Amino acid sequence: MTSYPRRTTRRRWMDFDSFLLRLTIPVCSPINPTRRRSPPSTKKEQRNAMDGLGPNAANSCPVTPLEFLERTATVYGDCPSLVYNRTAFTWSQTLRRCLRLASALSSLGISPGDVVSVLAPNVPAMYEMHFGVPMSGAVLNTVNLRLDARTISILLRHSASKLVFVDVLSRPLLDDVLRLFPASAERPRVVTIEDPYEDAPPPQSSALTYEKLLETGDPEFRWVRPRSEWDPMVLNYTSGTTSAPKGVVHCHRGLFFITIDSLIDWSVPRRPTYLWTLPMFHANGWSYPWGIAAAGGVNVCLRRFDAAAIYAAIETHRVTHMCGAPVVLNMLANAPDSARRPLHGPVQVLTAGAPPPAAVLDRTEALGFAVSHGYGLTETAGLRGGGVHPVRPPSGERGGGGGATGRVLGGDAVRVRQPEGGSVGGATDGERGDRVVPRAHAALHGAEDGGAPGGAAEDVDGEDTEVRAEGDSQEDGLRRSAESNVVHDSDRVGLAEQLLHLPTHP
């Protein structure tokens, strides 16, 4: 009997897999690479062939930082997301709460593009609103708690806010705000954020509270995705230190890029533990509400804090990262021995604005804190202008700065422009009234200035956005602006220079 070589099933399936591989078409290209065609012979034919490689439904969708929450809820669903006193949530719980919020807002009649304001400190509701409000299609407006009633009244009327979330301890302030509304003006609806850890008079039984609102929402709500990545997502207001506050609108695209840039610049690892000593109402917490979600970290919220509270939170939750103004560094460095706690390891601290004084840096680093410095504007949604740098330059010098240009990951260069025109090529002396000129993905999408667009920014030569400076960068950036100068005995003395040398003066 003649025997024939046996062809195994495994061999046949391997051949079929190879055949499938040869037929695979990349999703990034609508052109079938296996199709036989003669190569283009002219440059025009080459251009026509490349024209077919544009965006399509398979490879192009609007980018938004809201998707970070969905991913993290899938990857780190059972990991802690937020801690506030004895309250703790996981990332899957945070996602469901944010979807409930988005659903409840939609049921209240909040439509895409409507402005929803919040007047609250760093409590869980404040963090959840950075996702839940834009997930309903609305525009989030975080209001500075330190403003007076008159200013807040102007901002709420200017933004045409439809609804205001207010912390229970700030309800008297909001009552004063609403009393300043003209009789003919439409008042926003008010939702009170209760806090079980605070002694405050409870709201009326008929009043709508934050937790009651969440109970009406759907945890499986299909959130409103942006139709375009240029759709507005947040509305912030400048501090008004140099003129009246101006509205700054940021879109999903810009906030997506600034969030990614902030994580890379600061070298944030996976699952950090972040202590909220920076107010979330300050430029949306420099984009870290979305950034910590992207990294799957833990948000440790503090309503109020002093040195003792910060050290206790670092020890209890093993904090790895925190942000804050230089005054926070001064608080940590000068804390009494009774308030200090030993650190479990280096704690990364990111500060911005004027460079921290050398004496404060020495004491802070001796305690185990690793300090970095950045530069930011309300108009650029976070820290920009050369990125984040260790405060100690390679030369060993402290504070101050040098160059007048910086580079950012999410866009082009940041320059300093002289009043008479042209860019500053080297260090500036702060005496010319220099202007910060960023050009990047996260530059403001639009400005609101009482009906006059461009109040907080203006186009320069059709390519850049000119904005006011609100601080000083470290070694790569934007030395000083005209607003940072003090006139004394006919001499202009840089404020940053004073801050560097005053603490070392006997």
Side-chain angles (χ1 to χ4, degrees):
M1 180 177 179
T2 305
S3 62
Y4 297 95
R6 185 178 180 181
R7 305 185 72 182
T8 63
T9 303
R10 176 179 177 84
R11 178 63 180 173
R12 288 199 304 270
W13 278 109
M14 289 179 63
D15 291 342
F16 184 67
D17 289 343
S18 300
F19 172 75
L20 288 179
L21 286 174
R22 288 195 297 269
L23 294 182
T24 300
I25 303 175
V27 298
C28 62
S29 172
I31 298 177
N32 187 342
T34 62
R35 180 180 175 184
R36 297 196 178 202
R37 61 174 63 190
S38 58
S41 58
T42 66
K43 291 184 177 181
K44 182 177 181 180
E45 290 180 353
Q46 291 177 356
R47 286 196 302 269
N48 292 338
M50 290 298 178
D51 286 343
L53 300 177
N56 54 58
N59 66 19
S60 178
C61 63
V63 295
T64 172
L66 302 179
E67 293 182 338
F68 296 149
L69 179 57
E70 279 192 323
R71 172 194 174 273
T72 299
T74 301
V75 179
Y76 304 111
D78 295 330
C79 298
S81 61
L82 187 145
V83 177
Y84 177 64
N85 292 327
R86 296 184 299 277
T87 300
F89 296 116
T90 63
W91 279 113
S92 60
Q93 291 173 325
T94 295
L95 173 61
R96 293 172 68 86
R97 287 175 62 85
C98 292
L99 291 176
R100 283 182 180 272
L101 175 57
S103 171
L105 289 175
S106 298
S107 66
L108 288 179
I110 300 298
S111 304
D114 288 344
V115 175
V116 174
S117 302
V118 54
L119 193 65
N122 289 346
V123 293
M126 182 63 150
Y127 184 83
E128 292 166 355
M129 286 181 206
H130 278 79
F131 293 93
V133 170
M135 278 180 162
S136 71
V139 178
L140 176 64
N141 168 227
T142 56
V143 181
N144 191 335
L145 277 174
R146 300 162 187 163
L147 300 177
D148 58 16
R150 177 183 172 277
T151 304
I152 296 176
S153 175
I154 294 173
L155 300 188
L156 293 183
R157 281 183 285 143
H158 179 263
S159 64
S161 180
K162 300 293 185 182
L163 186 146
V164 177
F165 289 97
V166 58
D167 179 70
V168 63
L169 297 186
S170 298
R171 185 58 196 260
L173 173 61
L174 183 62
D175 291 339
D176 294 338
V177 168
L178 297 178
R179 277 193 288 267
L180 295 175
F181 271 53
S184 59
E186 181 181 356
R187 296 190 177 190
R189 186 167 185 172
V190 177
V191 178
T192 303
I193 305 171
E194 295 181 289
D195 191 331
Y197 305 105
E198 294 294 326
D199 292 330
Q204 298 178 358
S205 58
S206 59
L208 183 61
T209 64
Y210 182 73
E211 292 298 331
K212 287 182 181 179
L213 181 65
L214 291 190
E215 291 174 0
T216 66
D218 180 9
E220 304 297 332
F221 177 70
R222 294 185 62 181
W223 60 279
V224 182
R225 297 179 181 272
R227 291 173 298 177
S228 167
E229 59 191 25
W230 298 101
D231 287 349
M233 180 171 158
V234 302
L235 167 64
N236 296 327
Y237 282 88
T238 61
S239 60
T241 53
T242 57
S243 61
K246 298 175 177 65
V248 176
V249 180
H250 287 289
C251 63
H252 290 261
R253 171 186 171 87
L255 295 175
F256 175 87
F257 278 108
I258 190 62
T259 300
I260 297 297
D261 284 358
S262 299
L263 294 175
I264 296 175
D265 272 355
W266 201 16
S267 302
V268 177
R270 294 181 182 178
R271 300 183 62 186
T273 301
Y274 183 88
L275 180 63
W276 276 104
T277 49
L278 172 71
M280 293 188 214
F281 60 70
H282 191 97
N284 301 111
W286 300 347
S287 80
Y288 284 107
W290 305 295
I292 300 304
V298 182
N299 296 274
V300 181
C301 292
L302 294 177
R303 167 183 285 275
R304 62 181 70 88
F305 60 85
D306 54 16
I310 294 177
Y311 277 107
I314 291 175
E315 181 184 50
T316 302
H317 303 289
R318 301 184 69 83
V319 170
T320 61
H321 292 72
M322 57 183 285
C323 293
V327 66
V328 176
L329 298 181
N330 188 65
M331 183 186 301
L332 296 173
N334 297 313
D337 293 339
S338 59
R340 294 181 183 178
R341 307 284 183 89
L343 303 183
H344 60 86
V347 177
Q348 303 294 325
V349 181
L350 177 57
T351 187
V360 174
L361 288 174
D362 289 334
R363 291 194 295 268
T364 305
E365 289 185 345
L367 293 171
F369 295 93
V371 184
S372 298
H373 185 266
Y375 176 87
L377 300 165
T378 304
E379 293 88 343
T380 55
L383 300 186
R384 311 293 296 177
V388 174
H389 301 275
V391 177
R392 184 195 298 270
S395 63
E397 297 179 357
R398 303 296 192 114
T405 45
R407 301 296 302 190
V408 295
L409 289 174
D412 207 333
V414 178
R415 298 180 289 128
V416 174
R417 180 176 290 274
Q418 300 174 1
E420 62 273 13
S423 299
V424 181
T428 75
D429 56 14
E431 297 184 4
R432 294 184 292 260
D434 302 325
R435 294 283 184 168
V436 180
V437 185
R439 187 187 186 202
H441 294 297
L444 73 168
H445 182 48
E448 297 287 337
D449 185 24
E458 58 182 304
D459 183 66
V460 179
D461 297 335
E463 61 176 11
D464 296 322
T465 302
E466 179 174 337
V467 296
R468 297 174 314 282
E470 295 180 359
D472 294 275
S473 75
Q474 181 49 36
E475 51 185 325
D476 277 336
L478 319 174
R479 174 70 169 141
R480 283 187 296 273
S481 68
E483 291 79 13
S484 297
N485 290 297
V486 178
V487 178
H488 177 68
D489 292 337
S490 301
D491 293 326
R492 302 177 68 86
V493 183
L495 178 59
E497 204 71 24
Q498 296 182 53
L499 294 174
L500 287 172
H501 294 289
L502 281 177
T504 61
H505 196 279

